[in-house]
Amino acid sequence: MTTTTKTTPTTPDAPRGIIALPQSAARVLVALGAIGTIASTYMSWTWTAEFPGDLTYYGSPAGLQILALVAGVLTLLYALTRWNIRGLNWLNPAGATAPVSLAAASAFAVTWFTAIAIAVDLGGLANLDPGAYVAIVSSLVALLGALALPSPGDTFKAWISKPDTIPPAGRIPAWAERLVVTAATALALIVFAYGVGVDPDASETFIGYLLLVVLGTWALVTAGLADRFSALNARHKGFATSMAFLAAALFPFVENNEHNANLGVNILVVATVALGLNIVVGLTGLLDLGYVAFLGVGAYAAALVSGSEFSRFSGVQFPFWAAMLTGMAASLVFGVLIGAPTLRLRGDYLAIVTLGFGEIFRISVNNLDGSSGPNLTNGPNGISMIPDLEIFGFNFGSTHDVGSVTIGRFANYLLLMLIITAIVVLVFTRAADSRIGRSWIAIREDETAATAMGINGFRVKLIAFALGASLAGLAGTVSAHVGYSVNPAPYQFAGSVPPNSAFLLAAVVLGGMGTVGGPILGATLLYLLPEKLSFLKEYQLFAFGLALVILMRFRPEGIIANRRRQLEFHESEQPDIPEQSLPDTTVGATKAGA
Amino acid sequence: MTTTTATSPVLEASGVTMRFGGLTAVRSVDLTVNSGEIVGLIGPNGAGKTTFFNCLTGLYIPTEGKVSYKGTVLPPKPHLVTNAGIARTFQNIRLFANMTVLENVLVGRHTRTKEGLWSALLRGPGFRKAETASRERAMELLEFIGLSHKADHLARNLPYGEQRKLEIARALASDPGLLLLDEPTAGMNPQETRATEELVFAIRDQGIAVLVIEHDMRFIFNLCDRVACLVQGEKLVEGTSDVVQGDERVIAAYLGTPFEGAPGDEEVAEVEAAESGSGAQSTTSKEGSAQ
Ligand SMILES: Nc1ncnc2c1ncn2[C@@H]1O[C@H](COP(=O)(O)OP(=O)(O)O)[C@@H](O)[C@H]1O
Ligand SMILES: [Mg+2]
C-alpha cells in the first residue's frame, strides 16, 4: 500500500521480462507510450474524410481514434498500478503484469490496425498523417515496455491468464457495492451502445471496437476484476439483475435511432429464444435441431389472430395478451406433439428426428396455401400487414414522447420485448433451481442413473421440451408484430440470416450452456457481428463455423461458464482437486473401468 | 450372525430369467429378502449378478419371472420400482458427475417430493418448505455417511471411496425399504471396506433390508445373514455364511482357487488377507464388462 517503488521485485533473480530492460525503465516506457498514444488521438491521422470515421481533425478524436484513446488511457492506468499508486490498486488487485501487457496490446492492436487499414483502403503509406505515426510508434513503445516487465511465467498462457490468487477485496459498505454494480452496468451499456451505434459501413471502426473490447476485457479479467465483480453480483443478485434490465431499458434512450432499436428488438428476440433452447439443450441435454419451428408456430399463431387482412381469420383480432397465450399454447401443443414420440429416443436419434420435424414445419407452412393443401398460412407469401399492437390504448406503432426523448416504433417493441425476456429469465432461473431443474440436469448427466433414482425420464424431458417450446412461441408472438409479416423462409435449420436452428444452437453453445447470460451474450454477438461487419456477409457461415471451432478448442464451456462446466473442462484449475486416498491406484482404475 | 425374528419378505423374485439373444445371463433365479436382513449375492464375474439386479430394478425387463416388493408385483419401470421402495447403487459408479454432492442426494429425494414446474415458477410457501425439508434430509444423509463437509464439491472431484458412499447416500434419499448394493467396496482400501461394513450395518439398523453383491468374501461373510451364489446365471447354493463358505461347488466356481481371506485366518494375517482380497478383485474384474 506504500507509494514507494521498493515493493516491486528488485531481488537478483526476480522474474525477467522477454526484453531485458531494468524494471523502472520498462515502466516508464509503458507510461510514455500510453501518453503518446493518448496524445496522438488529438492529431490528424489521415488527410481525407474518405476513411470511415473521419480521422482528419486536430483536437478532437473521432471513430477509431476514440478507441485508441480509450486503449491508451487503459494502458496508462495499468502502467500506473505498477508504481503502486494509492487509489489505483483496486484496478489490479494482484499487481499482475498480464493486464498491463494486454492493455498495451489493445492500444497496439487498435492503432496498428487503423494505420494499416488507412494505408490499404486509401492506397499507400502516403495517406498517413503525422498523428498516425505518433500513434504507431507510441503504442509500439508501450507494448515493448510491457514485455520488459517481469514475465508472469514461461508459457504464452501465463501472459493471458489471471493469477491464481487474487487478494480478497476490502469490505466496503453495501450501498457502495451497489454503486459499483451500477457503475459497471452503466459502463457495459455505454460500451454496448457504442458498438451498436457504429455505422454499418464503417467495418474498420467495428473491428477496432472488437479488438479493444476483447483485449481490454481480457486485461480486466487477468487483473482479477471479473472475479471480484462476479462476487459482488452474487451478493447483490436481485439488484444486479434489475440494473441489467434497467440498462437494457435505457438503451433506446441512449441510442435514439430506429435502425438500432430494430436491431435491439431482433437481438432480444433471438436471445430470448436461445434462452428457451437453453432449457432443452443446456439443462436437459436434449439436442434439438428443429427448435426454430416453435418460434415460427408462435409467430404464425399471433399473425393469424392479429386481424391482418391476409390472415385466414382476418376478421379475428385478439387483444395482445390473448394472442400471446394463443402463440404459447400453439407452440406448447406442437412441442408435445413432436416431443411425445421423439423423446423416447436418445442422443443422435433425437437430434435427427427434431431436425426432420423442424423442416416439416417449414415445408408444411409453405404448402398450406390453398392449392397444395388447405389454405391456412398463405404459403410462401406469408401473412403480411400485421397491425401494430395496442395495449391499454398504447399504440406500439406510433411514436411517443418521454420527456425530451421521442420513442419510436421499434423502441416501443424493444421495451415490450424486454419484459418478455425478463419473464423468460425468471422462468429459466426458477425452474433450473428446483426439483424439476435438478431432474433435468440429472437426465443430462446420466439418464439411466436418473431413472433409477425415481425420475420419470420421459415425463421430465417432455416438460422441458414443452416449456422450451412455449417460451419460443411467446417470443414469436412479438416478433410477428415487430416484423410486420411472417413467412416460412426464416424458420429453417441453417441459413445466413437469423433466426434459424443452427444460429440459436450456436448462440447457446458459444455463450455458455446452462447459464442465463450465455445465450443472451451469444445471440447478441452472433447477431451483431455480421450486421456490423458487412464484408463478412458472404462468408458468414464460414466465419460462424470457424469461431465455433476456435471456441471449442480453447473454451469449450462457452464465453460465460457455468460453474459446473468450468470445473468440468478445466480440471487442473479447480480449487478442489481430489486428494489421492487410494493406496493402489491401479486397482481403482481397473475397477473404475469395470 | 444376526437372526431376525420378524421375517416378512420384502423382496420376492421368482423364476427370473434374462436372455440376451442366445445368451441366458440369468436362469430361473428365485430369491427372497426378508425385512431386517442383509443378503449377499456372490459369484464369479459374468455370473449374471448385475443383470439380476437390473431385472429387479426394472432397468431390464426379465424374459420370464416376476419380482414383487412387499407383496405387490413390480412393473418393470425403474422409476416406479424406486417409487415403490427399492433403491440401488451401480457397480460402475453412476453419479451425476457435474452436480454437487448435495444436489446428487437431492435428486435422490425425487420420489419423496412432489413440487412440479408450476410450484417452482410460483415459489409459494409450500415450495420453500419442501425445498428446505429436502435439503435438511439430504444434509442428514450426508452426515450419516460422513460427507457433509463436502456438500458443495462436485461429485466428480470426490475420491473413489467417497463416490461409492455418495451413491449409497443418494439411494438412501428415496427412503427405501430395500437397498441393492452392487460391489460397494470395489476399489476401496481395507480401512474403507471396514467403514463400509459398519455403514451397511447401520443402514440395516434403520430397518432397511440390504441385498449386496460383493467379491470381497471377508466382507460378505462378516456381514450377511444369508448368501446366495450365482454361477453362469443359475443359483448354485443359498444359505448361511457357513454353509456357502464350506460348499465345494462355490470354491470350485471361483476358478478353483480357495480364497485366503476366510474369517478363520483373520487373526493370523489380517492385512495379508485384505490385500489378497483386493488383489483378487482387480484380477477378476478385468474381464468384467458389467452394465
Ligand atoms: N445388455 C446386455 N446385452 C448382452 N449381454 C449382456 C448384457 N448385460 C449383460 N450381459 C451379459 O450377461 C452376462 C452376465 O453379466 P453381469 O450380470 O454383468 O455379470 P456379473 O455382474 O455377475 O459380473 C455376461 O456374459 C454379460 O456379457
Ligand atoms: Mg457385475
Side-chain angles (χ1 to χ4, degrees):
Chain A
M1 277 299 178
T2 49
T3 46
T4 58
T5 54
K6 287 247 175 62
T7 44
T8 44
T10 47
T11 42
D13 51 354
R16 298 297 300 269
I18 295 173
I19 297 164
L21 267 184
Q23 286 310 298
S24 40
R27 259 178 285 161
V28 171
L29 275 186
V30 184
L32 283 182
I35 292 169
T37 311
I38 295 170
S40 77
T41 62
Y42 286 88
M43 301 161 77
S44 160
W45 285 18
T46 183
W47 59 276
T48 166
E50 262 169 53
F51 187 78
D54 195 356
L55 314 179
T56 60
Y57 295 105
Y58 279 87
S60 77
L64 280 157
Q65 290 173 323
I66 296 176
L67 299 169
L69 175 64
V70 172
V73 170
L74 195 67
T75 314
L76 184 61
L77 284 176
Y78 272 103
L80 293 180
T81 63
R82 299 291 302 179
W83 269 291
N84 273 323
I85 289 177
R86 194 186 291 270
L88 282 181
N89 272 322
W90 65 272
L91 268 177
N92 193 354
T97 310
V100 187
S101 45
L102 282 168
S106 74
F108 177 78
V110 172
T111 51
W112 280 64
F113 166 76
T114 311
I116 293 170
I118 292 173
V120 171
D121 280 8
L122 302 179
L125 291 173
N127 296 296
L128 293 178
D129 268 5
Y133 288 107
V134 175
I136 60 179
V137 171
S138 308
S139 61
L140 181 64
V141 167
L143 185 64
L144 292 178
L147 292 179
L149 289 171
S151 122
D154 301 328
T155 55
F156 173 68
K157 211 170 164 216
W159 286 91
I160 58 167
S161 47
K162 62 171 192 267
D164 297 330
T165 47
I166 294 153
R171 287 309 300 244
I172 52 172
W175 63 265
E177 290 190 336
R178 291 185 170 209
L179 210 61
V180 173
V181 172
T182 313
T185 317
L187 183 69
L189 173 65
I190 291 169
V191 171
F192 177 74
Y194 185 89
V196 173
V198 171
D199 181 359
D201 294 328
S203 292
E204 290 86 352
T205 310
F206 197 77
I207 293 176
Y209 167 82
L210 282 183
L211 287 171
L212 174 62
V213 168
V214 170
L215 289 169
T217 312
W218 214 330
L220 298 183
V221 169
T222 55
L225 288 185
D227 282 16
R228 284 194 166 182
F229 184 66
S230 56
L232 269 190
N233 259 340
R235 273 205 292 279
H236 303 274
K237 221 176 207 159
F239 180 75
T241 317
S242 345
M243 283 318 289
F245 275 102
L246 184 66
L250 285 177
F251 174 75
F253 298 89
V254 177
E255 199 46 59
N256 194 6
N257 152 335
E258 276 297 88
H259 175 75
N260 292 337
N262 186 12
L263 215 73
V265 186
N266 289 336
I267 288 176
L268 273 182
V269 169
V270 287
T272 309
V273 180
L275 201 54
L277 178 62
N278 201 17
I279 293 178
V280 181
V281 176
L283 292 182
T284 322
L286 306 168
L287 185 52
D288 184 350
L289 297 182
Y291 189 69
V292 79
F294 300 123
L295 178 71
V297 172
Y300 264 95
L304 284 173
V305 299
S306 67
S308 154
E309 56 185 282
F310 292 95
S311 157
R312 180 86 169 72
F313 318 106
S314 53
V316 182
Q317 182 166 12
F318 280 17
F320 180 62
W321 62 266
M324 216 166 72
L325 290 182
T326 312
M328 279 179 84
S331 289
L332 182 83
V333 169
F334 269 77
V336 172
L337 283 183
I338 294 174
T342 53
L343 287 175
R344 300 184 191 277
L345 302 171
R346 287 193 188 188
D348 304 347
Y349 299 104
L350 178 72
I352 291 166
V353 173
T354 50
L355 175 66
F357 272 110
E359 289 297 290
I360 288 173
F361 166 76
R362 185 172 59 87
I363 294 166
S364 310
V365 166
N366 228 333
N367 286 305
L368 292 176
D369 57 356
S371 58
S372 335
N375 184 13
L376 181 65
T377 63
N378 215 9
N381 297 327
I383 300 166
S384 49
M385 290 181 64
I386 298 174
D388 277 306
L389 286 174
E390 194 169 318
I391 303 177
F392 300 129
F394 182 92
N395 189 321
F396 280 75
S398 49
T399 55
H400 299 264
D401 288 326
V402 179
S404 60
V405 188
T406 306
I407 294 295
R409 176 178 186 272
F410 288 112
N412 293 333
Y413 280 112
L414 191 137
L415 296 175
L416 174 68
M417 198 54 221
L418 204 58
I419 295 172
I420 306 254
T421 308
I423 293 172
V424 175
V425 167
L426 196 72
V427 167
F428 182 92
T429 45
R430 289 197 160 180
D433 177 29
S434 72
R435 171 174 175 266
I436 188 93
R438 283 190 296 268
S439 51
W440 288 337
I441 300 171
I443 295 257
R444 182 192 75 196
E445 292 290 309
D446 187 334
E447 189 164 349
T448 304
T451 55
M453 289 309 120
I455 294 170
N456 182 344
F458 175 68
R459 185 188 145 87
V460 166
K461 285 194 285 183
L462 193 60
I463 292 175
F465 209 75
L467 179 64
S470 41
L471 293 181
L474 176 62
T477 55
V478 180
S479 83
H481 287 275
V482 176
Y484 299 107
S485 67
V486 290
N487 66 74
Y491 305 109
Q492 52 190 346
F493 170 66
S496 53
V497 260
N500 52 65
S501 293
F503 175 94
L504 295 171
L505 213 54
V508 172
V509 174
L510 189 92
M513 289 210 274
T515 61
V516 176
I520 295 178
L521 180 68
T524 309
L525 284 179
L526 288 180
Y527 201 99
L528 210 52
L529 293 189
E531 193 73 26
K532 295 296 178 187
L533 303 175
S534 42
F535 65 90
L536 261 184
K537 278 263 154 67
E538 48 207 296
Y539 302 107
Q540 196 190 327
L541 281 175
F542 172 73
F544 214 66
L546 196 67
L548 272 181
V549 169
I550 293 173
L551 193 85
M552 287 303 109
R553 168 64 189 79
F554 293 105
R555 202 173 161 83
E557 69 272 29
I559 299 171
I560 297 181
N562 185 333
R563 182 177 50 99
R564 282 192 192 102
R565 298 240 139 204
Q566 175 107 45
L567 293 172
E568 177 180 352
F569 285 111
H570 298 278
E571 210 144 5
S572 56
E573 292 164 21
Q574 70 206 10
D576 43 0
I577 301 167
E579 59 263 42
Q580 271 301 331
S581 69
L582 296 175
D584 183 0
T585 43
T586 54
V587 174
T590 330
K591 297 302 286 190
Chain B
M1 57 202 292
T2 349
T3 41
T4 35
T5 41
T7 49
S8 61
V10 177
L11 174 86
E12 285 170 293
S14 56
V16 172
T17 300
M18 185 75 217
R19 285 192 203 95
F20 299 109
L23 175 86
T24 308
V26 176
R27 194 189 304 268
S28 191
V29 173
D30 302 321
L31 190 77
T32 305
V33 179
N34 295 314
S35 62
E37 248 186 339
I38 301 176
V39 177
L41 189 60
I42 61 171
N45 249 293
K49 305 180 296 296
T50 299
T51 307
F52 181 61
F53 263 30
N54 289 344
C55 292
L56 296 183
T57 52
L59 285 177
Y60 290 162
I61 301 169
T63 324
E64 282 161 34
K66 71 174 202 267
V67 180
S68 49
Y69 175 76
K70 291 189 175 166
T72 43
V73 176
L74 290 173
K77 285 259 164 51
H79 65 273
L80 296 179
V81 172
T82 311
N83 193 33
I86 300 183
R88 70 170 290 175
T89 67
F90 293 89
Q91 177 178 353
N92 47 346
I93 297 175
R94 300 190 82 143
L95 286 170
F96 306 121
N98 297 306
M99 297 177 90
T100 65
V101 167
L102 181 68
E103 284 169 335
N104 266 276
V105 183
L106 285 174
V107 171
R109 292 291 303 158
H110 191 87
T111 52
R112 303 297 170 238
T113 41
K114 294 271 154 326
E115 283 60 45
L117 181 63
W118 284 116
S119 112
L121 295 184
L122 300 176
R123 302 254 146 151
F127 176 85
R128 274 170 233 273
K129 214 155 74 197
E131 198 76 347
T132 319
S134 289
R135 269 164 213 276
E136 270 166 17
R137 174 77 181 121
M139 281 312 290
E140 219 172 83
L141 283 166
L142 286 179
E143 217 119 290
F144 176 64
I145 58 156
L147 273 182
S148 53
H149 60 292
K150 291 200 173 172
D152 291 328
H153 289 225
L154 286 192
R156 70 203 320 273
N157 292 339
L158 294 183
Y160 209 72
E162 293 184 354
Q163 293 199 7
R164 288 230 175 263
K165 280 193 193 162
L166 177 56
E167 261 212 329
I168 296 177
R170 185 180 68 174
L172 288 176
S174 65
D175 298 337
L178 171 70
L179 180 63
L180 308 183
L181 301 173
D182 197 344
E183 305 200 14
T185 72
M188 284 188 176
N189 62 31
Q191 293 92 319
E192 287 174 319
T193 306
R194 289 286 321 157
T196 308
E197 267 174 40
E198 296 306 319
L199 187 64
V200 175
F201 276 131
I203 290 169
R204 198 265 313 269
D205 291 342
Q206 293 185 356
I208 300 169
V210 180
L211 176 60
V212 53
I213 296 177
E214 203 27 88
H215 282 300
D216 186 333
M217 292 307 151
R218 208 161 74 83
F219 179 89
I220 283 283
F221 293 132
N222 272 349
L223 211 57
C224 298
D225 305 312
R226 252 178 328 120
V227 178
C229 179
L230 221 58
V231 175
Q232 291 187 355
E234 281 177 281
K235 192 167 80 178
L236 206 62
V237 215
E238 183 184 337
T240 61
S241 295
D242 296 329
V243 172
V244 174
Q245 216 169 328
D247 197 294
E248 278 137 40
R249 289 171 300 172
V250 174
I251 298 169
Y254 272 90
L255 306 167
T257 41
F259 60 93
E260 290 156 42
D265 303 336
E266 230 173 39
E267 305 89 285
V268 190
E270 185 162 345
V271 182
E272 268 175 33
E275 270 174 6
S276 70
S278 60
Q281 281 170 33
S282 71
T283 48
T284 47
S285 67
K286 254 172 205 146
E287 63 265 33
S289 60
Q291 85 93 22

